[in-house]
Amino acid sequence: MDFAAIDRQIHALEECIEHTVPVGADERLSVGVDLGTAYIVVVVLNSLKQPVACAMEFAQVIRDGLVVDYIGATRIVRKLVGQLEQRLGRTLQHAAIAVPPGTGVKDCATHTHVVEGAGLEVVSVLDEPTAANAVLGVSNGVIVDIGGGTTGLSVLEDGQVAYVADEATGGNHVSLVISGSYGIPFEEAEVLKKQPDRQRDVLVVVRPVIQKMASIINKHIQGRDIAGIYLVGGTCCLRGMEDVIAADTGKPVYKPANPFLVTPLGIALNCHP
Ligand SMILES: Nc1ncnc2c1ncn2[C@@H]1O[C@H](COP(=O)(O)OP(=O)(O)OP(=O)(O)O)[C@@H](O)[C@H]1O
Ligand SMILES: [Mg+2]
């Protein structure tokens, strides 16, 4: 696995959040829409599958992978797509989406309707670990996606998803603990935990929550031959959390430079596979 190449790809995506990369008038564009518990992220790639534009919004319209505010979700996706179309000077047509593993047919259809309601045709629906693995390329190991609401695991054996699990501990729990410890509202805790210069103090306070995530990983990998743990999802951005996971699992842990953007990028890579 070429970790440096993965980080370069993610860095290019980070760059195009602010700086749109010009595209040709006829170039085929790939779009990925990640409907998460905490963030809705839309990624656009050019015909070479390089990131050209990205937009996101903090939103509480999805819970544990299910759409709880259909109209709100559609409105946000439409807004983000509109912004990206304006930035690129192009109409966006096709998109890929992803759902947590094990999502039923009806709930997949709801995700599709949200994105199609925003004017895109959904050409690919995949599960989130498969999306993340389009970037990571793990053959043997476990991808652990710690988002806002849940810790999701996917064990890969010979490049195939062999086992999945999803448990309700995520970034929201981290913020709740910060909120309680510092006596500040949840929203302030969300801001505080993302401040790079505060992450050292934050980690001390939230260590038990990270240890809970490690115990979820341990529970699900027990009895399996796991070569390594690959961390993705916004909560893994917390500096030093990877050391807690490594200590409590005894496994080698790999974390890309920006774990938050791995799944959104992987979704877009699957738009025209
Ligand atoms: N720099 C950071 N440090 C700590 N936490 C962060 C950072 N950036 C984002 N987060 C947290 O990551 C979470 C969002 O991550 P992500 O976008 O992967 O989740 P999601 O896909 O919306 O949720 P889920 O996968 O549970 O549906 C939020 O709880 C957010 O506060
Ligand atoms: Mg997610």
Side-chain angles (χ1 to χ4, degrees), residues 139-225:
S139 296
N140 289 291
V142 59
I143 297 179
V144 180
D145 182 346
I146 313 181
T150 61
T151 295
L153 292 95
S154 328
V155 174
L156 287 131
E157 289 172 4
D158 299 324
Q160 299 296 319
V161 178
Y163 173 79
V164 294
D166 206 37
E167 291 208 23
T169 302
N172 290 343
H173 304 78
V174 171
S175 297
L176 284 172
V177 168
I178 296 170
S179 163
S181 302
Y182 290 90
I184 56 175
F186 179 87
E187 290 71 22
E188 265 179 54
E190 270 290 314
V191 175
L192 175 76
K193 81 174 172 186
K194 293 177 201 160
Q195 287 172 2
D197 58 333
R198 298 299 301 275
Q199 293 214 326
R200 192 192 285 257
D201 318 334
V202 163
L203 188 65
V204 174
V205 171
V206 305
R207 181 177 289 269
V209 188
I210 308 299
Q211 287 177 318
K212 165 73 181 166
M213 293 161 182
S215 77
I216 292 172
I217 300 171
N218 276 329
K219 181 171 106 187
H220 291 285
I221 65 173
Q222 204 180 22
R224 292 175 181 274
D225 184 18

Side-chain angles (χ1 to χ4, degrees), residues 34-41 58-59 62-66 100 128 145-152 166 169-175 186 189-191 193-196 199 202 232-239 258-261 263-264:
D34 187 356
L35 299 172
T37 303
Y39 282 91
I40 294 186
V41 186
F58 188 77
I62 313 282
R63 203 162 296 143
D64 299 340
L66 305 180
E128 288 174 346
D145 182 346
I146 313 181
T150 61
T151 295
D166 206 37
T169 302
N172 290 343
H173 304 78
V174 171
S175 297
F186 179 87
E190 270 290 314
V191 175
K193 81 174 172 186
K194 293 177 201 160
Q195 287 172 2
Q199 293 214 326
V202 163
V232 302
T235 295
C236 298
C237 293
L238 194 64
R239 208 173 288 170
N258 187 346
F260 171 62
L261 291 171
T263 303

Side-chain angles (χ1 to χ4, degrees), residues 40 57 59 61 69-78 114:
I40 294 186
E57 182 157 320
V61 290
D69 175 2
Y70 181 84
I71 295 179
T74 306
R75 187 178 48 76
I76 293 168
V77 176
R78 191 182 299 135
V114 165

